[in-house]
Protein backbone atom coordinates (compact mmCIF):
# COMPACT_ATOMS: atom_id res chain seq x y z
CA UNK A 1 0.00 0.00 0.00
CA UNK A 2 1.45 3.38 -0.87
CA UNK A 3 1.81 6.05 1.78
CA UNK A 4 0.55 9.60 1.35
CA UNK A 5 4.11 10.63 0.51
CA UNK A 6 4.34 8.05 -2.30
CA UNK A 7 1.29 9.58 -3.91
CA UNK A 8 2.58 13.15 -3.57
CA UNK A 9 3.90 14.85 -6.69
CA UNK A 10 7.51 14.42 -7.78
CA UNK A 11 8.25 18.05 -6.93
CA UNK A 12 6.85 17.61 -3.41
CA UNK A 13 9.09 14.61 -2.88
CA UNK A 14 12.09 16.58 -4.15
CA UNK A 15 11.30 19.28 -1.65
CA UNK A 16 10.99 16.75 1.16
CA UNK A 17 14.28 15.10 0.14
CA UNK A 18 16.18 18.39 0.25
CA UNK A 19 14.46 20.62 2.79
CA UNK A 20 17.00 20.00 5.58
CA UNK A 21 19.82 20.70 3.12
CA UNK A 22 18.06 23.84 1.94
CA UNK A 23 17.55 25.12 5.46
CA UNK A 24 21.21 24.53 6.33
CA UNK A 25 22.29 26.48 3.22
CA UNK A 26 19.85 29.31 3.81
CA UNK A 27 21.00 29.67 7.44
CA UNK A 28 24.69 29.61 6.46
CA UNK A 29 24.18 32.31 3.82
CA UNK A 30 22.37 34.55 6.29
CA UNK A 31 25.06 34.03 8.95
CA UNK A 32 27.48 35.66 6.52
CA UNK A 33 25.21 38.74 6.61
CA UNK A 34 25.06 39.30 2.86
CA UNK A 35 22.90 42.40 3.16
CA UNK A 36 24.93 44.24 5.79
CA UNK A 37 27.30 45.87 3.32
CA UNK A 38 28.07 46.02 -0.38
CA UNK A 39 31.27 44.08 0.32
CA UNK A 40 29.35 41.25 1.96
CA UNK A 41 26.77 41.24 -0.83
CA UNK A 42 29.58 41.01 -3.39
CA UNK A 43 30.68 37.71 -1.83
CA UNK A 44 27.12 36.39 -2.25
CA UNK A 45 27.06 37.55 -5.86
CA UNK A 46 30.35 35.77 -6.52
CA UNK A 47 28.85 32.51 -5.21
CA UNK A 48 25.69 33.05 -7.27
CA UNK A 49 27.85 33.64 -10.33
CA UNK A 50 29.54 30.30 -9.77
CA UNK A 51 26.24 28.48 -9.34
CA UNK A 52 24.61 30.05 -12.38
CA UNK A 53 27.71 29.33 -14.45
CA UNK A 54 27.36 25.67 -13.52
CA UNK A 55 23.64 25.46 -14.29
CA UNK A 56 23.70 27.64 -17.46
CA UNK A 57 24.21 24.62 -19.80
CA UNK A 58 20.97 23.10 -18.49
CA UNK A 59 19.04 25.97 -20.05
CA UNK A 60 20.46 25.04 -23.46
CA UNK A 61 19.91 21.26 -23.33
CA UNK A 62 17.63 20.06 -26.11
CA UNK A 63 16.12 17.34 -23.90
CA UNK A 64 15.04 19.96 -21.33
CA UNK A 65 13.95 22.58 -23.87
CA UNK A 66 11.66 19.87 -25.28
CA UNK A 67 9.89 19.98 -21.89
CA UNK A 68 10.07 23.74 -21.23
CA UNK A 69 10.37 25.57 -24.58
CA UNK A 70 11.08 28.94 -22.93
CA UNK A 71 14.00 27.55 -20.89
CA UNK A 72 16.79 29.44 -22.74
CA UNK A 73 15.43 32.81 -21.70
CA UNK A 74 15.03 31.79 -18.07
CA UNK A 75 18.76 31.39 -17.38
CA UNK A 76 20.04 34.01 -14.94
CA UNK A 77 23.78 33.94 -15.58
CA UNK A 78 23.76 37.16 -17.64
CA UNK A 79 21.81 38.94 -14.90
CA UNK A 80 24.36 37.89 -12.26
CA UNK A 81 27.15 39.02 -14.56
CA UNK A 82 25.48 42.44 -14.92
CA UNK A 83 24.97 42.64 -11.13
CA UNK A 84 28.68 42.05 -10.58
CA UNK A 85 29.49 44.74 -13.12
CA UNK A 86 27.14 47.17 -11.33
CA UNK A 87 29.17 46.68 -8.16
CA UNK A 88 32.45 47.03 -10.02
CA UNK A 89 33.40 43.47 -9.02
CA UNK A 90 35.61 41.37 -11.24
CA UNK A 91 34.19 38.07 -12.49
CA UNK A 92 35.13 35.45 -9.90
CA UNK A 93 37.66 32.80 -10.74
CA UNK A 94 35.89 29.50 -11.38
CA UNK A 95 35.93 26.70 -8.84
CA UNK A 96 35.25 23.04 -9.47
CA UNK A 97 32.40 23.00 -12.02
CA UNK A 98 30.60 19.83 -13.07
CA UNK A 99 29.64 19.73 -16.76
CA UNK A 100 25.86 19.59 -16.70
CA UNK A 101 25.61 19.41 -20.48
CA UNK A 102 26.55 15.72 -20.27
CA UNK A 103 24.89 14.38 -17.10
CA UNK A 104 21.85 12.10 -17.41
CA UNK A 105 18.47 13.73 -17.83
CA UNK A 106 17.26 12.76 -14.34
CA UNK A 107 20.37 14.29 -12.76
CA UNK A 108 19.91 17.40 -14.91
CA UNK A 109 16.29 17.66 -13.72
CA UNK A 110 17.43 17.58 -10.10
CA UNK A 111 19.88 20.43 -10.66
CA UNK A 112 17.25 22.38 -12.61
CA UNK A 113 14.78 21.95 -9.75
CA UNK A 114 17.27 23.61 -7.40
CA UNK A 115 18.04 26.43 -9.81
CA UNK A 116 14.38 27.16 -10.56
CA UNK A 117 13.33 26.74 -6.93
CA UNK A 118 15.87 29.30 -5.83
CA UNK A 119 13.66 31.90 -7.52
CA UNK A 120 11.17 31.41 -4.66
CA UNK A 121 13.72 32.31 -2.00
CA UNK A 122 14.81 35.23 -4.15
CA UNK A 123 11.50 36.91 -3.24
CA UNK A 124 12.86 37.37 0.28
CA UNK A 125 16.35 38.32 -0.87
CA UNK A 126 15.14 40.90 -3.41
CA UNK A 127 13.50 42.81 -0.54
CA UNK A 128 16.48 42.50 1.80
CA UNK A 129 18.84 43.91 -0.82
CA UNK A 130 16.86 47.16 -1.07
CA UNK A 131 18.57 48.33 2.12
CA UNK A 132 21.84 48.44 0.15
CA UNK A 133 20.22 50.68 -2.46
CA UNK A 134 20.18 47.85 -5.00
CA UNK A 135 17.24 46.63 -7.06
CA UNK A 136 16.23 45.11 -10.37
CA UNK A 137 17.89 47.94 -12.29
CA UNK A 138 21.18 47.80 -10.42
CA UNK A 139 22.99 45.06 -8.55
CA UNK A 140 20.05 42.73 -7.94
CA UNK A 141 18.73 41.91 -11.40
CA UNK A 142 19.10 38.18 -10.87
CA UNK A 143 16.81 38.25 -7.82
CA UNK A 144 13.85 39.80 -9.67
CA UNK A 145 10.75 37.86 -10.53
CA UNK A 146 9.98 36.73 -14.07
CA UNK A 147 7.13 38.24 -16.07
CA UNK A 148 3.87 36.95 -14.63
CA UNK A 149 5.35 36.42 -11.17
CA UNK A 150 7.36 33.79 -9.32
CA UNK A 151 4.48 31.45 -8.57
CA UNK A 152 3.28 31.35 -12.17
CA UNK A 153 6.75 30.39 -13.32
CA UNK A 154 7.16 27.85 -10.52
CA UNK A 155 3.83 26.20 -11.30
CA UNK A 156 4.72 26.09 -15.01
CA UNK A 157 7.94 24.33 -14.04
CA UNK A 158 6.53 21.87 -11.50
CA UNK A 159 3.44 20.96 -13.52
CA UNK A 160 5.67 19.62 -16.32
CA UNK A 161 8.04 17.95 -13.86
CA UNK A 162 5.16 16.29 -12.04
CA UNK A 163 3.71 14.89 -15.27
CA UNK A 164 6.93 13.15 -16.35
CA UNK A 165 6.87 9.38 -16.38
CA UNK A 166 9.77 8.64 -14.04
CA UNK A 167 10.71 5.24 -12.71
CA UNK A 168 12.15 4.69 -9.26
CA UNK A 169 15.73 4.76 -10.55
CA UNK A 170 15.10 8.01 -12.44
CA UNK A 171 13.62 9.58 -9.38
CA UNK A 172 16.52 8.49 -7.19
CA UNK A 173 18.96 9.98 -9.74
CA UNK A 174 16.96 13.20 -9.82
CA UNK A 175 16.98 13.51 -6.05
CA UNK A 176 20.73 12.86 -6.08
CA UNK A 177 21.12 15.63 -8.70
CA UNK A 178 19.24 18.02 -6.42
CA UNK A 179 21.39 17.03 -3.44
CA UNK A 180 24.52 17.54 -5.53
CA UNK A 181 23.31 21.01 -6.51
CA UNK A 182 22.73 21.99 -2.88
CA UNK A 183 26.04 20.38 -1.93
CA UNK A 184 27.87 22.38 -4.59
CA UNK A 185 26.31 25.60 -3.33
CA UNK A 186 27.00 24.79 0.32
CA UNK A 187 30.70 24.20 -0.44
CA UNK A 188 30.91 27.42 -2.43
CA UNK A 189 29.27 29.43 0.35
CA UNK A 190 31.58 27.96 2.97
CA UNK A 191 34.64 28.68 0.84
CA UNK A 192 33.75 32.16 -0.36
CA UNK A 193 31.35 33.79 2.12
CA UNK A 194 33.32 34.31 5.31
CA UNK A 195 31.42 34.53 8.58
CA UNK A 196 31.46 38.00 10.11
CA UNK A 197 31.84 38.29 13.86
C1 LIG B 1 19.45 33.18 2.36
C2 LIG B 1 19.15 32.49 1.28
C3 LIG B 1 17.83 31.83 1.02
C4 LIG B 1 16.60 32.03 1.57
C5 LIG B 1 16.23 33.00 2.68
C6 LIG B 1 15.68 31.10 0.93
C7 LIG B 1 14.35 31.04 1.19
C8 LIG B 1 13.45 30.27 0.50
C9 LIG B 1 12.02 30.32 0.65
C10 LIG B 1 11.28 31.24 1.60
C11 LIG B 1 11.48 29.42 -0.20
C12 LIG B 1 10.01 29.12 -0.39
C13 LIG B 1 9.68 27.97 0.48
C14 LIG B 1 8.27 27.51 0.36
O1 LIG B 1 7.50 28.11 -0.38
O2 LIG B 1 7.95 26.52 0.99
C15 LIG B 1 12.57 28.79 -0.89
C16 LIG B 1 12.42 27.78 -1.80
C17 LIG B 1 13.48 27.17 -2.45
N1 LIG B 1 14.80 27.53 -2.40
FE1 LIG B 1 15.59 28.88 -1.14
N2 LIG B 1 16.36 30.37 0.02
C18 LIG B 1 17.66 30.79 0.03
C19 LIG B 1 18.68 30.34 -0.77
C20 LIG B 1 18.54 29.33 -1.69
C21 LIG B 1 19.61 28.89 -2.56
C22 LIG B 1 21.01 29.51 -2.59
C23 LIG B 1 19.12 27.86 -3.28
C24 LIG B 1 19.77 27.03 -4.35
C25 LIG B 1 20.86 27.34 -4.99
C26 LIG B 1 17.72 27.67 -2.90
C27 LIG B 1 16.88 26.72 -3.43
C28 LIG B 1 15.52 26.68 -3.18
C29 LIG B 1 14.62 25.70 -3.77
C30 LIG B 1 15.00 24.56 -4.70
C31 LIG B 1 13.35 26.02 -3.32
C32 LIG B 1 12.05 25.34 -3.74
C33 LIG B 1 11.51 24.45 -2.65
C34 LIG B 1 10.21 23.80 -3.11
O3 LIG B 1 10.26 22.73 -3.70
O4 LIG B 1 9.16 24.39 -2.88
N3 LIG B 1 17.42 28.58 -1.93
N4 LIG B 1 13.76 29.32 -0.45
Amino acid sequence: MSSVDDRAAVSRRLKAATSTTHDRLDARILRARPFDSLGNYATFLAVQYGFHSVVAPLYLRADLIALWPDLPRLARLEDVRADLADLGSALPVGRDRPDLSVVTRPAALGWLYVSEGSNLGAAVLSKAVLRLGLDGQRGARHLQEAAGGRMLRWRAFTSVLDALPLGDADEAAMQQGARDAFGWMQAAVEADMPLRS
Side-chain angles (χ1 to χ4, degrees):
M1 200 175 96
S2 51
S3 69
V4 169
D5 196 51
D6 286 339
R7 290 194 305 270
V10 170
S11 59
R12 296 286 298 271
R13 290 197 295 271
L14 268 170
K15 179 175 184 168
T18 56
S19 67
T20 306
T21 319
H22 175 278
D23 293 350
R24 187 163 61 107
L25 173 63
D26 160 349
R28 177 59 181 78
I29 291 171
L30 294 179
R31 278 171 63 214
R33 300 187 194 169
F35 307 109
D36 276 14
S37 69
L38 287 174
N40 286 12
Y41 179 65
T43 67
F44 176 63
L45 268 187
V47 169
Q48 290 283 70
Y49 179 76
F51 182 76
H52 286 285
S53 299
V54 171
V55 298
L58 297 176
Y59 292 81
L60 298 173
R61 276 179 63 136
D63 58 347
L64 302 184
I65 293 171
L67 299 172
W68 296 278
D70 60 345
L71 206 52
R73 67 174 181 79
L74 299 179
R76 282 178 286 156
L77 180 59
E78 290 313 313
D79 288 335
V80 186
R81 204 191 296 270
D83 290 339
L84 280 163
D86 290 337
L87 266 67
S89 299
L91 290 185
V93 179
R95 47 187 298 116
D96 182 29
R97 289 179 181 172
D99 182 357
L100 299 184
S101 64
V102 295
V103 299
T104 63
R105 191 180 77 154
L109 288 169
W111 277 84
L112 189 63
Y113 159 79
V114 176
S115 179
E116 285 300 294
S118 71
N119 283 312
L120 298 182
V124 182
L125 308 185
S126 67
K127 293 194 182 74
V129 79
L130 294 174
R131 78 175 75 135
L132 293 173
L134 302 176
D135 55 27
Q137 268 73 53
R138 180 170 166 269
R141 301 159 205 262
H142 82 285
L143 298 174
Q144 302 311 304
E145 63 183 9
R150 296 180 203 277
M151 286 320 290
L152 186 75
R153 171 167 167 182
W154 182 240
R155 285 199 201 99
F157 175 72
T158 54
S159 63
V160 172
L161 188 66
D162 291 341
L164 289 178
L166 295 170
D168 289 349
D170 288 342
E171 190 159 344
M174 188 173 58
Q175 291 187 2
Q176 187 58 47
R179 279 192 287 269
D180 289 346
F182 275 115
W184 190 96
M185 193 62 172
Q186 183 79 31
V189 167
E190 279 167 17
D192 298 331
M193 291 185 73
L195 293 177
R196 319 282 171 168
S197 53

